[in-house]
Amino acid sequence: MKKRSLFAIMRKDLKVAVQNKGVMIPVIVVPVILFVVLPWVITMMPAWSGSSMGNIQSMETQINNLLKTMPAGMQNQLSGHPAVEQMSIFILVYGFAPMFLILPLMLASVLAADSFAGEKERKTLEALLYTPTSDRELFVAKLLGPWLASIVISLVSFVLYSSMVDLAGWISMKEILLPNLMWIALVLWVAPATAGLSLVVMVFVSARAQGFQDAYQTGGMVVLPVLALVAGQITGVMYFTITLVLILGLVLWVLLGVLLWFASRGFQREQLMLKNR
């Protein structure tokens, strides 16, 4: 594989993405809202609202009912805190875990949607297809750049989120909440596989779409499985534990490997040339 050509395509794609407001706005705004603003709002909301005794008792009842369905380790972490603190810890440490996967999905989708679809809008696709690279090299280059960018931004966002949660948690509860093993496995094991799956889907959508917005809107459906995980966590159907996260990551990596194999075999620049005419 020609590394120089591969890295040249990757650098060009990332440089163009940075200059595209439609790409950079969600890349910046979503992490700031999810991982800077919301941790403070959730942690400080009980103090700001001045909860009445009736509201606290109602919350205690809801928390006690919720605790009965939780794994033992989660119950132990929450049981020594007042009801309002239990709710904050549950949301920040456990409730946000599946929501974090939306970030690599969204980042990969935005960056990949700008790959072939963006090339069509900028009228540069034909020049790209005539570069001295094989179909496999072109396919890998279009995946690798957004994938690495998604991983880096996810890691930075996790560090930022952990810092905000710990700072807010220390001020309000005198407790350091993150990182824990479940979150480390989520960020290092599950998030890269999630971004990879999103990329494989989006590159094919982008190659067939007429423009960036068309590709991004069509590929937005890849977030639906993550929303199902969020709903399952909120309703108590399942909880993100270290065991569940490791199993989920294994399933995603296997699925990614299968999709990559099929996708690489079906990727042919001749078809893109025909679609671009």
Side-chain angles (χ1 to χ4, degrees):
M1 184 172 292
K2 302 174 184 178
K3 294 182 180 180
R4 181 174 297 180
S5 299
L6 189 148
F7 287 118
I9 294 173
M10 289 170 52
R11 286 196 300 269
K12 179 188 71 68
D13 282 353
L14 293 177
K15 182 179 179 181
V16 171
V18 169
Q19 297 172 347
N20 188 337
K21 292 182 180 179
V23 173
M24 292 308 298
I25 289 177
V27 167
I28 295 173
V29 171
V30 172
V32 169
I33 292 176
L34 285 180
F35 306 125
V36 177
V37 177
L38 284 183
W40 285 98
V41 172
I42 292 170
T43 306
M44 297 301 178
M45 189 174 293
W48 294 339
S49 62
S51 299
S52 65
M53 184 61 66
N55 290 335
I56 292 177
Q57 290 177 346
S58 175
M59 186 177 294
E60 287 178 344
T61 301
Q62 294 175 3
I63 287 291
N64 289 333
N65 293 333
L66 190 62
L67 280 171
K68 295 176 182 178
T69 66
M70 293 181 181
M74 197 179 299
Q75 292 185 32
N76 292 335
Q77 183 173 8
L78 298 178
S79 60
H81 296 269
V84 289
E85 292 183 3
Q86 289 181 353
M87 182 61 73
S88 296
I89 294 172
F90 173 74
I91 294 174
L92 292 172
V93 178
Y94 300 102
F96 259 74
M99 289 182 62
F100 181 83
L101 296 178
I102 294 176
L103 180 63
L105 268 177
M106 183 273 297
L107 292 175
S109 298
V110 171
L111 293 172
D114 192 52
S115 59
F116 291 110
E119 299 279 4
K120 291 179 182 179
E121 288 185 342
R122 294 185 292 269
K123 309 299 182 182
T124 57
L125 179 60
E126 187 169 351
L128 174 68
L129 296 178
Y130 281 111
T131 55
T133 56
S134 66
D135 290 350
R136 182 187 177 193
E137 290 169 345
L138 183 58
F139 180 73
V140 170
K142 284 294 184 180
L143 286 178
L144 196 56
W147 186 67
L148 292 176
S150 299
I151 291 176
V152 170
I153 297 174
S154 295
L155 287 172
V156 172
S157 298
F158 172 61
V159 172
L160 188 62
Y161 179 67
S162 297
S163 301
M164 294 298 102
V165 169
D166 288 341
L167 184 58
W170 184 257
I171 292 174
S172 62
M173 296 176 279
K174 296 297 185 289
E175 184 169 347
I176 300 297
L177 301 174
L178 292 175
N180 58 23
L181 287 176
M182 184 270 289
W183 267 92
I184 292 174
L186 184 75
V187 175
L188 299 181
W189 176 240
V190 180
T194 304
L197 283 171
S198 176
L199 280 170
V200 174
V201 174
M202 285 302 302
V203 163
F204 270 90
V205 171
S206 180
R208 290 158 175 76
Q210 297 303 313
F212 170 77
Q213 291 296 332
D214 182 25
Y216 184 53
Q217 291 172 5
T218 304
M221 292 184 294
V222 298
V223 79
L224 293 179
V226 175
L227 294 179
L229 291 175
V230 174
Q233 180 102 330
I234 293 174
T235 57
V237 174
M238 43 74 70
Y239 295 107
F240 267 41
T241 62
I242 180 64
T243 302
L244 177 62
V245 168
L246 292 175
I247 294 174
L248 175 62
L250 179 60
V251 172
L252 292 178
W253 279 110
V254 171
L255 182 59
L256 174 59
V258 172
L259 289 180
L260 275 174
W261 185 79
F262 281 106
S264 62
R265 288 173 61 87
F267 184 84
Q268 296 179 351
R269 66 178 66 203
E270 289 81 4
Q271 295 179 358
L272 293 174
M273 290 180 182
L274 292 175
K275 292 179 182 295
N276 192 46
R277 293 174 180 175

